[in-house]
Structure formats: C-alpha cells, structure tokens
C-alpha cells in the first residue's frame, strides 16, 4: 500500500511553500501525491505562472472558488473540498501558510478524521484584526502535525497548549524555493533603472482604507523623487488605487506594474536598494538575501526578520518610512543574519517526519541519496 498525501494550495504565497515539499516527497517511492488548488487566486499571473516557473505538477483538482467575502470564500472551499478529499482518501493532508484555503481545508479534514499537517505553523502577529492571524490560530489548534520555521513558532504553540510532540522545528520552506531558484532568477531580470526601491502592498489594512492608501502614495512619491520606485500591483491594490489616483497623478515618480512572476520578482528584490512591503514572505526573502526591508505594518508574525534580519517595522508612520528609506538610500543600512535552519533543506526535514509518522502503515522507501546532495 502506498502513502497518499494531499497538498492544498490556493493563493500566491502557497505555491512557493508547497513546491519544495512535493519535490522532497517525490524522492520516496510508495508516496502518491495529489495537489488540490482551491482557486482562491485565479489570474494567470497570480497562479499558473508560478506553477510553471516552480516546476510544480499541475493540480489534480481545481475547486475554482474565486473571490468573495471571507465567509463566502471559506465556505465555498469547505463545501468544494470535502467531496474531493473523500475521493482522494489521503492518509494525510498538508496545508500551507495562513490564507483562507489553509483553514478551510484543515477544518474539513479535522471533521472527517483525516490527519492534517500545517507547514509554517506557530507564527503570530498578535493582531486579531488580521484575517490571516485568525486563520493561523485556528489551523494550528486543529492540526495533527505542525512544522515551524523558527523557534518563536514553537514558543507560541507551547503557550497555546499544543502538545510538543506534534511540533517540529524544520526551518523555512519558502527559503528552500528561494535557494533553488536564485541562480535561475538572474536570467529573468526585467529592465530597470540602476538604483531603485521596490514596493509591494496588498494587506487590507493598507490598501482598502483609501485615505491611508492616498497618504502612502504621497510618501512613496516623495521617495521616488530621490530614487525611482517600482510598484507591482496585487489585484486588491489595483482596485484601491483606481479610486485614489487622479489625472494629476500621471507624473508620479512611481512606476506601477502588473504582478510579476516569481523569478522576475526575485530578480528585482535582489537588485533593489530597499524593499518596502507589507507581505510576510517578502520580509523573509529580503532577510535571507540581506536586502534592506521596510515593513509598513504595526506588527509582524515574523519577528525573527527584525531580530536577526534586515527588516525594520516602520508601522503606520509615514515620516518614519521616509526617514528610514532615506537612511538606506544614503548608505546607512541595517545589516542582518540568516536565521537558523533557513538553509534550503526544510522540506526534506518535513518529508522525513511525514514518512516516519504516517508511513508506518504504508510501504515507503527513500530513493537514492538525500535530496540535499542533488539540489543546487
Ligand atoms: C490573500 C491572503 C493573504 C496573502 C495574499 C497573497 C487570505 C485571507 N488572504 O490575500 O494572506 O498574503 O493572498 O497574495 O487568504 N483577485 C484577483 N485575481 C486573483 C486573486 C484575487 O483579481 O487572481 C482579487 C479578488 O477579486 C479580491 C482581491 O483580489 O477582491 C483579494 O483577493 P483575496 O483572495 O480575497 O485575498 P488577498 O488579498 O489576495
């Protein structure tokens, strides 16, 4: 009997996290993998292009749930995923990150008595106004195996009463993908000015409040007066901007762009003087690459990027944002270190645990040498 593992992905940041786990598990014979895409993100450049660039197998099922309110989206994933998981009959389901697809799939499995593993468990912003924070807390409570990227995750889970034997500190799977794709990304560098700042913003707290979004644009434009600003737009952000921008903004020092594929965006990050963001994953990627990062949020669920890395939380303080940007652009940048276990091998550690814990009733065999030896 083979070990059946189902991976659930739905939104842009999930793909980079699932890809290395799928790859690591494919090194074992006797493992049957199914990929379910919920369709939370559906535009080509928010989804399909990532599968292509990451070399990830096509999803076996696409639930095509699309957009909606949180309740609608979560409910649609729940009701569409249940028949699929009943058909696939996995021994274990892996869910990733903190998006609506993560909690929805975990809840379905938990009620059906199917084991669930949460990859990127234990992260906490302690800000319950963030939809992702609710998804994180609830997912961790109902999962059977929890894979944390850093020690703070273990501490948070311990405080929430999660049994320590469920928790495995494995490192950061997003960094696995980064390590693998970094050399290739250099071939994908878009044409840019020599010095530039790179901006991404998409959190509801930043882009749904139009007054705040307008104020941020002014601050970014001010920075753009010194150094060109490149700003790839998430669909949520584009919607907000279309209401904020007026004809007189045509001469802004900001170059707006469509969302970029993974390799192009990675190349831009590497070449940027500074990255200004509210994304979780980008805080981690900049820390790994040693690129200065200014995070426009009051808190972060990834405090290790501030403690050890290059990340600076500027909060909702636009004077501070401009000051910190000025500091970096004049050569006064925060130096950082790479957190422990962010070494490109987190997914292999996850695969080992999954095989050991779930493979007892199934025949699984490691194929050849450890994957680490073959991964560039
Ligand atoms: C979601 C995640 C967030 C993650 C982000 C990464 C939740 C609660 N939030 O936020 O944690 O950091 O993805 O991108 O799961 N849209 C399109 N095309 C698409 C996808 C979305 O036009 O391919 C539009 C939708 O119509 C929607 C808006 O963008 O109105 C936001 O999409 P949604 O899935 O609600 O969440 P994100 O803001 O992307």
């Amino acid at each position: 009997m083979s070990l059946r593992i189902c991976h659930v992905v739905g939104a842009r940041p999930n793909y980079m996290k699932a890809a290395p786990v799928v790859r690591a598990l494919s090194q074992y014979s006797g493992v049957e993998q199914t990929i379910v895409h919920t369709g939370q993100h559906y535009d080509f450049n928010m989804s399909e292009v990532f599968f292509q660039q990451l070399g990830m197998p096509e999803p076996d099922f696409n639930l095509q749930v699309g957009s909606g309110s949180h309740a609608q989206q979560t409910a649609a994933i729940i009701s569409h995923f249940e028949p699929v998981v009943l058909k696939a009959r996995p021994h274990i389901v892996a869910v990733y990150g903190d998006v609506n697809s993560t909690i929805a799939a975990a809840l379905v499995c938990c009620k059906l008595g199917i084991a669930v593993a949460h990859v990127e468990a234990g992260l906490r912003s302690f800000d319950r106004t963030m939809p992702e924070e609710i998804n994180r807390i609830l997912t961790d409570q109902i999962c059977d195996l929890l894979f944390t990227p850093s020690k703070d995750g273990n501490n948070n889970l311990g405080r929430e009463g999660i049994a320590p034997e469920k928790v495995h500190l494995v490192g950061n799977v997003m960094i696995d993908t980064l390590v693998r794709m970094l050399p290739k990304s250099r071939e994908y560098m878009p044409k840019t000015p020599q010095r530039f700042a790179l901006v991404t913003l998409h959190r509801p707290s930043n882009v749904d409040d139009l007054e705040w979004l307008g104020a941020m644009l002014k601050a970014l434009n001010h920075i753009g007066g010194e150094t060109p600003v490149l700003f790839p737009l998430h669909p949520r952000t584009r919607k907000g901007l279309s209401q904020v921008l007026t004809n007189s903004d045509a001469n802004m020092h900001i170059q707006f762009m469509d969302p970029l594929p993974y390799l192009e965006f990675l190349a831009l990050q590497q070449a940027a003087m500074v990255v200004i963001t509210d994304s979780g994953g980008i805080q981690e990627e900049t820390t790994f690459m040693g690129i200065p990062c200014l995070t426009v949020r009051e808190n972060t669920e990834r405090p290790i990027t501030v403690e050890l890395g290059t990340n600076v939380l500027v909060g909702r303080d636009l004077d501070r944002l401009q000051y910190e940007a000025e500091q970096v652009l004049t050569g006064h940048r925060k130096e950082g270190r790479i957190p422990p276990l962010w070494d490109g091998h987190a997914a292999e550690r996850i695969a080992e645990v999954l095989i050991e814990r779930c493979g007892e009733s199934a025949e699984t065999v490691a194929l050849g040498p450890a994957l680490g030896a073959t991964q560039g």
Side-chain angles (χ1 to χ4, degrees):
M1 188 180 71
S2 59
L3 174 65
R4 292 185 299 278
I5 300 184
C6 170
H7 305 265
V8 181
V9 294
R12 190 168 57 178
N14 288 162
Y15 319 134
M16 293 77 107
K17 294 169 195 171
V21 181
V22 172
R23 204 175 133 80
L25 283 165
S26 71
Q27 301 300 303
Y28 292 84
S29 76
V31 176
E32 233 176 79
Q33 304 195 67
T34 306
I35 298 175
V36 177
H37 192 315
T38 65
Q40 179 175 347
H41 285 173
Y42 42 86
D43 289 349
F44 175 81
N45 55 8
M46 294 290 285
S47 182
E48 207 177 316
V49 68
F50 285 81
F51 274 74
Q52 289 175 359
Q53 290 197 339
L54 298 173
M56 216 164 132
E58 290 280 311
D60 301 279
F61 299 91
N62 193 322
L63 309 182
Q64 296 187 320
V65 299
S67 309
S69 68
H70 282 272
Q72 287 166 341
Q73 196 173 55
T74 311
I77 298 167
I78 287 175
S79 61
H80 287 72
F81 180 59
E82 187 180 49
V84 166
V85 79
L86 284 172
K87 191 169 170 205
R89 293 172 38 250
H91 293 96
I92 189 154
V93 171
V95 297
Y96 297 84
D98 57 15
V99 302
N100 288 339
S101 303
T102 313
I103 175 62
L107 192 54
V108 169
C109 295
C110 175
K111 296 275 179 97
L112 290 173
I114 298 170
V116 198
H118 185 202
V119 177
E120 198 184 80
L123 298 187
R124 297 291 180 267
S125 66
F126 302 101
D127 174 1
R128 290 202 179 200
T129 64
M130 280 179 82
E132 294 87 349
E133 181 74 354
I134 307 300
N135 294 344
R136 291 180 198 119
I137 295 169
L138 298 182
T139 303
D140 286 340
Q141 280 296 326
I142 60 177
C143 279
D144 303 277
L145 278 175
L146 299 134
F147 295 110
T148 56
S150 46
K151 190 77 197 321
D152 55 287
N154 294 56
N155 297 341
N156 293 334
L157 294 172
R159 234 186 351 261
E160 291 172 16
I162 307 278
E165 57 273 18
K166 288 185 178 178
V167 184
H168 298 265
L169 176 57
V170 290
N172 192 325
V173 281
M174 202 157 202
I175 299 303
D176 288 10
T177 296
L178 181 69
V179 168
R180 188 164 74 88
M181 303 302 266
L182 213 45
K184 192 160 187 210
S185 74
R186 298 189 180 113
E187 297 160 25
Y188 284 74
M189 184 65 191
K191 209 166 155 32
T192 63
Q194 211 179 9
R195 280 166 53 97
F196 64 92
L198 178 63
V199 178
T200 79
L201 297 167
H202 74 273
R203 300 239 161 249
S205 57
N206 274 333
V207 304
D208 291 356
D209 173 350
L210 298 184
E211 204 177 315
W212 171 247
L213 182 60
M216 262 192 313
L217 273 189
K218 279 206 181 105
L220 293 173
N221 195 39
H222 187 86
I223 296 168
E226 310 272 317
T227 303
V229 169
L230 309 188
F231 191 168
L233 292 174
H234 183 285
R236 176 186 280 280
T237 313
R238 187 178 282 285
K239 250 183 234 169
L241 269 183
S242 63
Q243 296 174 62
V244 167
L245 287 177
T246 60
N247 288 343
S248 61
D249 292 324
N251 300 326
M252 284 193 116
H253 306 292
I254 303 176
Q255 187 183 328
F256 297 110
M257 314 157 92
D258 285 333
L260 289 167
Y262 181 73
L263 289 167
E264 283 81 345
F265 189 74
L266 208 52
L268 272 191
Q269 282 194 78
Q270 272 181 280
M273 298 284 297
V274 60
V275 177
I276 298 170
T277 192
D278 59 8
S279 149
I282 293 169
Q283 294 172 55
E284 299 179 336
E285 289 170 346
T286 47
T287 273
F288 184 86
M289 294 188 283
I291 306 293
C293 176
L294 305 178
T295 298
V296 192
R297 285 174 49 187
E298 298 285 2
N299 48 57
T300 176
E301 62 289 336
R302 289 153 163 100
I304 199 154
T305 60
V306 178
E307 282 155 28
L308 291 188
T310 53
N311 191 15
V312 175
L313 273 188
V314 298
R316 280 170 75 92
D317 180 343
L318 296 175
D319 291 335
R320 171 100 195 270
L321 172 64
Q322 287 180 49
Y323 170 78
E324 295 290 352
E326 177 74 27
Q327 288 292 103
V328 176
L329 295 172
T330 52
H332 306 96
R333 48 186 278 168
K334 180 184 173 195
E335 298 300 332
R337 278 190 292 133
I338 297 175
L341 295 176
W342 291 22
D343 58 359
H345 300 291
E348 291 154 49
R349 292 187 276 269
I350 290 175
E352 267 171 38
V353 175
L354 287 175
I355 298 295
E356 190 193 306
R357 296 290 289 271
C358 314
E360 285 144 12
S361 54
E363 283 167 30
T364 50
V365 182
L367 294 175
L371 188 65
T374 57
Q375 247 183 352

